[in-house]
Amino acid sequence: MKPIVLAVVLCAIGFGTAAADVKAVWAIGDGDKVDRDDLTHPGRRGNAVWDGAGVRLFAARNEIVAFQVIVDADRTGIRALSVALPELRFGSETIVYRAPAGDPSDTVDRPIQLFSVNYMHVTTPSRASWVWAPGSRAAPANAVGWKPVQLVPENARAGRGGFPVSVAAGQNQAFWIEIYTGRNRPAGTYQGRLTVTADGRRQELPLSLELFDFALPDENTMHAMVYYASDQPELYHGRNMDAAYHRFAHRQRIELVHAYDIATTRAALGRFTGADFTRDAHYEGPGQGVGNIIVPASFYGPGTDYDDRASAWAHADAWMTFLTQTLPKALTFLYMPDEPRAPQYPRILRLGENVHSNPGPGRGLPIFVTHEYVDALAPAIDIWCSGPQGFQIERARQERARGHDYWFYNGGRPAGGAITIDAPATDSRATIWAGIKHDARVYFYWHAVHWRHNSQKRGERTQNVWAESITFDNRGQPNKPIDDQGYIHGDGVLLYPGEDVLHPDQDRGIRGPISTVQLANIRRGLQDQQYIALARSRGLTAAVDEVLREIVPRVFSDADATVSFPERGDPYEAARLKLARAIATTGRAMPASDIRQPILFDTPEADRILGTLQIFPPDNAWHEDISARPVHPDSAAIVATVGAEKPLGFNLDMNFVIVPPNQPRVPVRITEYPNESDPGPFPIPEDAPIENWPMARNEDAGALPKPGGTLRDLQRHGTGDRHLILVDPAHGRVHEFWQARLTDAGWEASQASTFDLTSNRLRPDRWTSADAAGLPIFPAIVRFDEVARGRVEHAMRFTVRRTRRAYVYPATHFASRSDDPSLPRMGERFRLRPDFDVSGFPPHAQAILRGLQQYGMFVADNGGDWLMSIAPDRRFQGLESLVRVKGSDFEVIVPTGPDEGPRRKR
């Protein structure tokens, strides 16, 4: 399928000689800052998003893409200036603008968002050695002037960024436009017209957005944790704003963090389960239904609970037990004294010993320190977190090899970018790229809302952050070395208060946070990381290495005296486009035959392999788009016999193991269908999972793993269908067994089937398989890797209690004595009605339901009515919502045959 192009084109409709005093209208990406008085910016002639006549964007699904429209005023200025983007359209598919509410974190049905850019005056550059050495070759070239900072929602107060805005003569005004591409739109080119209105006169700008045929995952590959103190918004807004700030941060792909204990974690549980980030909770966007994972046991210091060994054991045991039971995927740590100096080392060593000596589960609580590696602290530390200047690349590799981790925080040129108002916009993005190149799992930024200055500032600490650009100032602090003193523009302020009860003249009238160019570029870097992770998962190592060399050739301990990364947005966009095209055109070729060991289905490594695995040819029935097939004339009667009012259900049953090409083959004794089975031996590994492992959701309780039981126990004991599925990518085969069991004499099964993943060849007519319909099971399984991408792109399987004595392509076998025409045949294909609204379901459920609308599901076996097969993967979320789908929401289609549909001979 060709990618969809979303484009905004600046039309040739001009303002005319009698119009407002507009000198030029042009566009630029989100990776450039255009000073308010810069009317000669080189980007006016053309850049990555502007060809001199229109705006050209590209994106993946589930991505936020942003750009700026710049309006230059001429001799008399502009009294009232605004922009509008009503919709983007591709055929019948639309991305529609909806006006904002007062709360900027309420993003439901708001894929298009409009902002004015607010400027702050920097008269002298930041001066802090850890950001950049003043006067050095690493310092930014253009650090003073009217700098673009805040992204003010269009519905802000008049005169405070709300539309329309005024522009003085000889100045410009930037408008920031964000488009969320959604999860399920088809790839192609969406087009729209952006309207610029100046003093009542309009100019239209044509826009195109190329939407590629892949989606960014909801779960972040690199995690960004940003400290958040709820008392700061309470002080400036006049009330608690936690829900809005966490929602807003989630859309930026960052996590606002602070210390938690068991009680506060329980109180905020929806933040970690994903319940706080659903449409019902006023959230729509990346990470919908996916929770935060960073749950620190302390922050900016360890407190006193761990100074005594007995107390440390008790607190660590209780905390780690709670997290294991409640949030098993959580990242946690005990934060040591911040940026410690040598006199604090003995206490840190003692704290580390108190935790590490614990014989119980508390031993697993990691010790975290904001410091570059030093031998003196090595016995205590599990997670090092240094600034870019202290990030020792080889030492980080060594620590990870020892089972420890090495994160990084804040910024500092030239080893990384500087997260400041007076640094280039791309510094934030480059900082994330530096972490990508050197495998940092987590990026930490020291504060999101440092509005009231911490105790390092002398004098008045309550800052007027909208009027004063310097937000960190520790000059004159006692007992602080002079080289550790300075002031920084915008430091610790990624978000600004939308309301300001302390400084009413600066109140924007926005009931929530207001973002910044710095934060938008951190988000852009985190989305870039998703591109790189997808490219790596599809074997595009050379392309990844190439863009990393281009963007961050020398960072962290490899850096020299000057920055090596680009300071404008275009090179980053060129790298992203290169990755997008490679990902979209790679296809699903067989993975390389270098799989060295068996890989279980519920692992990231399995996700990587499955993301590139071609499961049957593209014209196979499992891949056939049946969304436009006619409804079967007996559809209503067939649905009624299955149960029109019964809910859609599922078993977490069908697992599998991916085997290497040299997996030893073993014989399997076939006990019931030897004449309808394929010959062995078969590549069965020792850890081959039996159906339902490791979960406990199946209609047949006797088939479930016993509490506390091991996989070896399940291989030998239990009832039910006991399917065993082996995937052999290197040889293009899948082997499936019914009622498989390990005995003292070896493996046995009631039936064995082998399917060629490169062919459309079916089982012989009237032959069964491990499924009663004679169908393969593996291509029908709903897997985590595909719902994480946003869409199940194949037909699925389900069971019904009663079937007909008949089968239909691609089935080859029946399992019934009834000829009742109102009963479904084996292989009958059901489709979720095209008009069924899936938008209110959690993301993983949406991916399944979209697949059911496009590919449907086959009757594959006798069993409970409307029960689908989903892999027993703990990473699934929100599947319980499927119960809201009823049998009456389905229809039976007229199927195609072996030489029809996409298999028709042309």
Side-chain angles (χ1 to χ4, degrees), residues 538-767:
R538 300 193 180 193
L540 300 169
T541 305
V544 170
D545 290 346
E546 180 181 358
V547 298
L548 288 172
R549 285 194 301 269
E550 291 170 352
I551 301 301
V552 280
R554 300 180 310 279
V555 288
F556 293 164
S557 57
D558 281 346
D560 55 24
T562 60
V563 298
S564 67
F565 44 85
E567 296 182 87
R568 286 200 57 199
D570 285 5
Y572 297 85
E573 290 302 281
R576 185 169 68 95
L577 182 58
K578 186 180 299 182
L579 291 172
R581 287 173 172 163
I583 293 167
T585 59
T586 297
R588 299 197 173 188
M590 287 291 185
S593 60
D594 61 351
I595 300 171
R596 302 301 183 202
Q597 60 188 8
I599 299 170
L600 287 175
F601 66 99
D602 56 351
T603 61
E605 182 62 13
D607 297 341
R608 184 189 67 79
I609 295 167
L610 295 166
T612 64
L613 180 61
Q614 181 69 51
I615 303 171
F616 295 135
D619 64 353
N620 189 273
W622 293 96
H623 303 305
E624 185 175 345
D625 184 345
I626 51 90
S627 58
R629 291 294 299 168
V631 176
H632 194 287
D634 295 330
S635 174
I638 295 172
V639 168
T641 62
V642 181
E645 295 305 313
K646 292 180 180 179
L648 179 63
F650 60 92
N651 287 323
L652 296 173
D653 51 4
M654 299 301 180
N655 51 35
F656 53 90
V657 61
I658 300 170
V659 298
N662 61 349
Q663 176 64 43
R665 293 175 176 262
V666 299
V668 175
R669 185 172 74 90
I670 306 302
T671 61
E672 191 167 336
Y673 289 93
N675 295 329
E676 296 181 32
S677 292
D678 292 307
F682 299 98
I684 304 179
E686 287 188 5
D687 60 350
I690 298 296
E691 178 181 350
N692 300 310
W693 178 265
M695 304 292 278
R697 182 185 176 115
N698 193 285
E699 58 179 325
D700 182 356
L704 296 174
K706 297 294 185 290
T710 65
L711 176 56
R712 291 300 265 184
D713 294 333
L714 188 62
Q715 287 175 337
R716 289 178 173 270
H717 307 293
T719 60
D721 285 349
R722 299 181 57 81
H723 288 105
L724 167 61
I725 301 173
L726 312 172
V727 182
D728 185 352
H731 296 105
R733 298 291 187 272
V734 61
H735 309 282
E736 301 181 348
F737 305 87
W738 177 51
Q739 293 185 333
R741 190 180 305 277
L742 181 62
T743 71
D744 291 342
W747 283 95
E748 66 179 30
S750 294
Q751 200 278 338
S753 300
T754 295
F755 293 90
D756 183 349
L757 295 177
T758 68
S759 168
N760 287 338
R761 185 162 54 93
L762 307 179
R763 305 284 290 160
D765 199 37
R766 293 210 162 198
W767 273 35

Side-chain angles (χ1 to χ4, degrees), residues 371-375 378 384 386 390-402 404-406 557:
H371 203 292
E372 64 184 62
Y373 176 90
V374 289
D375 287 334
W384 300 91
S386 72
F391 193 104
Q392 304 165 39
I393 297 168
E394 184 54 39
R395 175 61 68 180
R397 293 193 191 104
Q398 294 171 5
E399 286 299 291
R400 291 176 187 136
R402 294 177 56 208
H404 297 169
D405 213 341
Y406 212 110
S557 57

